[in-house]
Amino acid sequence: MAEEREEQTDCKVETPKTTAGEIGGRTAPVWEERIGGLPLARLNVITTVTNNSQTRLHTLEHQIPPEVPGEKISKKAAKKEAVKLEKLRRRQEQEKLRSRQEQEEATRKTASMSLEEDDEFSSNYGDVTLNELQSTKDPKAGIWREAVEGKKWTEVSKLVEEIAGSEVLIRGRVHTYRVQPSIVFVILRQSGSTVQCVAKQSEETNVSVNMIKYLEKLSCESIVDVIGAVVLPKDPVKGTTQQVEIQVRKLYCVNKALTRLPVSVEDAARSEVDIKKYLETGRRAVRVNQDTRLNHRVIDLRTPANQAIVALKSKLVNFFSENLLSKDFVNIFTPKLLAGSSEGGSAVFRLEYQGQPACLAQSPQLHKQMAICGDLRRVFEIGPVFRAEKSFSHRHLCEFVGLDVEMEIDKHYSEIMDLVDELFVFIFTSLNNKCKKELEAIGKQYPFQPLKFLEKTLRLTFEEGVQMLKEAGVEIDPLGDLNTESERKLGQLVLEKYNTEFYILHRFPTAVRPFYTMTCVDNPLYSNSFDVFIRGEEIISGAQRIHTPELLEQRAREHGIDVKTISTYIDSFRYGAPPHGGFGAGLERVVMLFCGLNNIRKTSLFPRDPQRLAP
């Protein structure tokens, strides 16, 4: 619909003669300065500019007629003039209403693209009315409602050769289309699946000239319903996931997209490889940058790669839960509003909670340990984690989905590493075997090599890792932590020596671990803790926990934590607590590294980083 602009000016009518003005396409008088001998103060002119024409509506600002010096008016005359003015006002209101209705009717006809009244197939296409979409039960609410009545929708992904010859009702977005004389080819997209729909003008197909013109004017990304026959094309269809065609019989637009979108799905789905090929051949190629994608994430999510990433995350979570549930773990749900921080340090979001200081949970750590003290024995949680990260790196987010596990330990903290080994080998194997379609879609836009991992996950001590780095010429503080560069270098060395990109590094220095981490019995400078790495980047952090309240209090104070804020947590260990431990992983980071992506924001539905709080 054309944009309208109103220009309003106050004009004094100084000459008492009648001229003509246009009101809704008809001529009408511009009223004299005096009506019935009474002067009128002003004439208010409003100009409405549309894409078709300029219509000038003249309306009067009716006021109580001012008295003219030396002129006396009786009450009866004044009342009579007031009645005249009221009639005039009503007449003008009617004119304005009529004009508005005519404009709306013209706009409606343009918007609906109704082209000829005598089109015998006019019921086979058109815009679905709001009344039809308001969940009405009336089967005759409109042409779309009548057309789909009694029919079932078929998923685009289910359009296969076996159902050739049958009639289907499908819904999708107009991905692209091309026009030839008397024929329109529309690529319809539903999630990551696409199919070619062909509308050919003929009486046999019930497709009219007007229907062809209607299809030509549909904007990309509009949502349409198509009723047609499934056919096998003579030549293979290129550029679609489905190798059948739909011979269009009826098509209805459910919802229109803007003609000009801020981001094209076709551009957003283009790989760097394709861009390079375009440039090499002198063709224009659009590269959609990261911020543009995230600013218009709703459109960006429609690309096949992003559809696949979201689906892959969902399935990974299912595999995670499936494996743990088979080992008698219980899925728990812990609070995210805490009186004190769960990890210590400054990376915490602080807030006021009903007049009390509080913060968002940096992990479910404290409560999953309390669950173990409550005799739940083996627990896991999948939920949001909040970190007030100041980092703008490719792998950090301020909010992510945590995959957390806690369990009783029988004899040794290696039991936790055994679980990590079994669990993630199962997850990786399941992703490779059951998500081939998703991995292919991701790899098409973001090419990557499959992750290399061993059936029995490699384990190295921190000291062994430091020694490998030292032999490669990289000096690391033996009681410090690994930085990003040393992690990558160690990952490269491990790949070269052990042919795996997935391994466990354990016995980290105590100084770099959280306050609740148990120290090693043979050397308190090191701890019963571990990190797990994929492609040279850390994805999991875990450890045996301190389960004695005295040591826990001491360690908390050493980390600058006010013991009063975590008193209920510490008290839970005064009532008897079994030896236990666990780990936490970030879902987005696991997916990023498994798929060899270069930025964690690609794997977050609506990422939150230090600069992004919307959409």
Side-chain angles (χ1 to χ4, degrees):
M1 186 173 179
E3 181 182 354
E4 294 188 353
R5 182 178 71 255
E6 291 191 346
E7 300 172 348
Q8 181 168 315
T9 57
D10 290 328
C11 305
K12 287 185 178 180
V13 183
E14 298 180 352
T15 54
K17 68 178 183 180
T18 303
T19 58
E22 291 183 355
I23 301 181
R26 289 182 288 279
T27 56
V30 175
W31 301 99
E32 293 183 356
E33 183 183 21
R34 289 174 176 265
I35 296 181
L38 298 177
L40 288 176
R42 289 172 177 265
L43 180 68
N44 190 34
V45 182
I46 299 176
T47 304
T48 302
V49 181
T50 67
N51 60 333
N52 297 322
S53 62
Q54 177 172 294
T55 304
R56 186 173 296 272
L57 302 179
H58 295 282
T59 62
L60 289 170
E61 286 186 351
H62 300 294
Q63 303 175 358
I64 299 297
E67 291 188 5
V68 179
E71 191 174 273
K72 293 184 178 181
I73 306 172
S74 67
K75 290 184 179 180
K76 186 176 181 180
K79 186 176 180 180
K80 186 175 181 181
E81 294 302 331
V83 171
K84 287 182 179 180
L85 288 175
E86 178 61 20
K87 288 181 179 179
L88 173 61
R89 186 189 66 79
R90 291 178 180 177
R91 191 181 306 121
Q92 286 183 318
E93 289 294 328
Q94 291 173 352
E95 287 290 341
K96 286 168 66 177
L97 179 61
R98 190 178 298 113
S99 175
R100 190 181 302 113
Q101 289 173 340
E102 289 176 355
Q103 288 181 5
E104 289 175 354
E105 177 65 16
T107 302
R108 188 192 66 78
K109 288 183 178 180
T110 301
S112 64
M113 292 177 278
S114 299
L115 302 168
E116 292 182 12
E117 294 292 332
D118 58 352
D119 185 354
E120 61 177 312
F121 300 126
S122 60
S123 62
N124 291 345
Y125 64 94
D127 297 345
V128 181
T129 65
L130 179 61
N131 180 54
E132 293 177 275
L133 295 171
Q134 288 179 304
S135 300
T136 177
K137 293 184 179 180
D138 181 6
K140 295 184 178 181
I143 57 174
W144 167 81
R145 190 68 171 78
E146 292 183 29
V148 302
E149 183 65 23
K151 292 182 170 61
K152 291 184 178 180
W153 271 266
T154 300
E155 298 289 319
V156 171
S157 60
K158 302 296 175 59
L159 298 174
V160 292
E161 296 179 6
E162 286 75 12
I163 63 171
S166 60
E167 184 180 79
V168 293
L169 166 62
I170 59 176
R171 174 172 292 175
R173 292 185 183 274
V174 177
H175 185 58
T176 60
Y177 65 88
R178 55 190 175 91
V179 181
Q180 294 181 2
S182 303
I183 188 169
V184 177
F185 298 89
V186 178
I187 302 299
L188 203 66
R189 189 186 76 248
Q190 185 184 68
S191 298
S193 302
T194 52
V195 66
Q196 179 166 273
C197 302
V198 183
K200 185 177 182 180
Q201 179 200 341
S202 73
E203 291 189 4
E204 181 182 350
T205 59
N206 295 343
V207 175
S208 64
V209 175
N210 288 347
M211 185 172 176
I212 294 295
K213 292 180 179 179
Y214 176 83
L215 297 181
E216 291 175 2
K217 295 182 180 180
L218 286 174
S219 56
C220 288
E221 296 305 299
S222 293
I223 298 173
V224 298
D225 282 350
V226 174
I227 297 175
V230 181
V231 299
L232 295 175
K234 295 180 180 178
D235 301 315
V237 182
K238 296 180 179 180
T240 61
T241 61
Q242 309 310 116
Q243 292 305 301
V244 297
E245 281 185 347
I246 304 299
Q247 295 259 343
V248 178
R249 298 289 183 265
K250 299 180 180 182
L251 186 147
Y252 306 96
C253 184
V254 177
N255 189 265
K256 292 178 183 176
L258 292 173
T259 304
R260 187 179 180 85
L261 297 172
V263 177
S264 159
V265 173
E266 190 175 6
D267 289 340
R270 190 173 291 116
S271 70
E272 285 297 321
V273 174
D274 290 337
I275 291 174
K276 186 177 180 181
K277 288 180 180 178
Y278 273 58
L279 296 176
E280 287 175 350
T281 57
R283 290 182 292 171
R284 176 177 173 271
V286 176
R287 177 184 283 109
V288 183
N289 66 38
Q290 186 76 30
D291 281 340
T292 301
R293 290 178 182 277
L294 297 182
N295 289 340
H296 306 285
R297 187 63 163 160
V298 170
I299 300 176
D300 185 47
L301 285 172
R302 298 174 189 174
T303 66
N306 282 329
Q307 293 281 309
I309 288 171
V310 173
L312 191 80
K313 284 175 64 180
S314 175
K315 293 183 179 181
L316 192 154
V317 167
N318 286 340
F319 297 145
F320 179 81
S321 301
E322 176 189 338
N323 187 269
L324 291 174
L325 290 171
S326 71
K327 292 177 168 62
D328 297 326
F329 278 78
V330 177
N331 192 359
I332 62 171
F333 307 93
T334 62
K336 304 308 168 192
L337 286 169
L338 306 179
S341 63
S342 48
E343 299 286 338
S346 60
V348 58
F349 288 106
R350 303 190 183 281
L351 52 91
E352 184 181 301
Y353 178 76
Q354 305 288 11
Q356 306 173 59
C359 62
L360 295 177
Q362 295 164 290
S363 79
Q365 184 58 48
L366 307 188
H367 288 92
K368 65 179 183 176
Q369 283 188 256
M370 292 168 73
I372 297 298
C373 293
D375 286 349
L376 291 180
R377 302 194 66 219
R378 294 183 155 208
V379 298
F380 73 95
E381 179 174 14
I382 302 167
V385 172
F386 302 92
R387 302 281 173 90
E389 297 280 3
K390 297 296 191 292
S391 174
F392 295 90
S393 77
H394 72 287
R395 63 177 187 172
H396 288 99
L397 291 172
C398 291
E399 179 184 354
F400 60 89
V401 178
L403 305 174
D404 279 270
V405 172
E406 203 73 15
M407 58 184 278
E408 288 186 5
I409 293 174
D410 292 329
K411 293 188 300 182
H412 198 277
Y413 82 98
S414 60
E415 296 164 23
I416 310 168
M417 292 188 284
D418 293 339
L419 175 65
V420 170
D421 180 1
E422 296 172 13
L423 174 62
F424 279 86
V425 168
F426 170 79
I427 290 173
F428 298 154
T429 303
S430 298
L431 290 174
N432 285 334
N433 293 339
K434 299 180 181 180
C435 301
K436 293 179 180 179
K437 181 181 176 182
E438 289 83 359
L439 293 172
E440 181 182 352
I442 296 169
K444 188 173 182 180
Q445 182 166 2
Y446 307 111
F448 69 97
Q449 293 297 318
L451 179 69
K452 292 183 178 180
F453 60 96
L454 305 175
E455 288 187 13
K456 182 65 177 176
T457 303
L458 173 69
R459 296 181 197 179
L460 299 171
T461 66
F462 184 84
E463 292 168 293
E464 289 172 333
V466 169
Q467 184 60 34
M468 288 179 67
L469 288 169
K470 185 177 180 179
E471 292 173 359
V474 180
E475 291 294 335
I476 295 293
D477 180 358
L479 296 179
D481 204 353
L482 299 180
N483 57 30
T484 302
E485 291 73 21
S486 57
E487 284 181 358
R488 287 177 179 166
K489 182 62 178 178
L490 184 57
Q492 178 187 335
L493 296 173
V494 168
L495 176 61
E496 292 171 357
K497 186 174 182 178
Y498 300 101
N499 195 34
T500 181
E501 295 175 292
F502 178 68
Y503 71 97
I504 300 173
L505 193 67
H506 66 110
R507 282 180 60 100
F508 269 73
T510 302
V512 299
R513 306 305 282 194
F515 75 94
Y516 47 75
T517 305
M518 183 69 79
T519 55
C520 290
V521 65
D522 60 332
N523 188 347
L525 293 177
Y526 291 90
S527 60
N528 293 345
S529 62
F530 60 90
D531 279 358
V532 183
F533 297 85
I534 294 180
R535 302 186 197 269
E537 296 193 40
E538 177 254 318
I539 62 158
I540 296 173
S541 184
Q544 179 182 357
R545 321 302 186 186
I546 296 173
H547 61 281
T548 58
E550 295 79 18
L551 181 56
L552 202 54
E553 283 185 339
Q554 176 187 329
R555 293 280 293 155
R557 290 191 180 96
E558 290 173 358
H559 279 71
I561 297 174
D562 183 356
V563 178
K564 292 179 181 178
T565 64
I566 57 171
S567 59
T568 54
Y569 163 69
I570 295 177
D571 286 345
S572 64
F573 297 98
R574 302 186 195 281
Y575 314 136
H580 62 279
F583 61 87
L587 173 61
E588 289 84 354
R589 194 180 290 188
V590 173
V591 173
M592 175 187 76
L593 294 170
F594 182 82
C595 296
L597 299 172
N598 63 2
N599 198 301
I600 197 170
R601 291 158 184 80
K602 286 184 170 70
T603 63
S604 177
L605 193 65
F606 295 100
R608 294 291 178 262
D609 61 30
Q611 291 184 321
R612 183 169 293 279
L613 197 57

